[in-house]
Amino acid sequence: MDDAFADRFDALSFANDEPVHIFRSDRYGHNDEGVWMPETLWHRLRYIGTAYSLHLLPLLDGTTDPVFLNPQQVAQFLRELHFITLTVDDPLLREQVSALVATSRLPSEGASKDKLGIEFP
């Protein structure tokens, strides 16, 4: 790989990014834990979703309000993340996707129609 682009795979390159917060949610409020993904990597994930004509990822464009996904949408989110990890050779993105998958698969902490929340910077 050309060294001019090596920083694209270095987590330190995104240390000053505003984070996108992906968390488990329920009707009692959201968990402050979850995944804090650099905004640049979130957009990389979204644009890959757009490039492959995926359904859900391209829609998560960083609105000012949090987005909440129901269980069916989370299932689609997981399918799209799985496709991307099989298709794209990007170790940094794969690490972030792994954390997203783990968070998405956690059991709900309360009865709610929403399972996953996404807050944008």
Side-chain angles (χ1 to χ4, degrees), residues 28-78:
Y28 306 109
H30 70 266
N31 184 342
D32 286 333
E33 295 178 10
V35 177
W36 296 86
M37 185 176 191
E39 186 176 27
T40 301
L41 293 178
W42 176 262
H43 289 303
R44 184 182 299 179
L45 187 64
R46 237 179 25 81
Y47 292 140
I48 290 169
T50 299
Y52 284 100
S53 301
L54 301 182
H55 177 70
L56 185 61
L57 279 168
L59 300 175
L60 304 173
D61 62 355
T63 62
T64 55
D65 294 326
V67 173
F68 294 93
L69 305 179
N70 64 41
Q72 293 78 23
Q73 291 167 321
V74 171
Q76 178 65 26
F77 184 63
L78 286 168

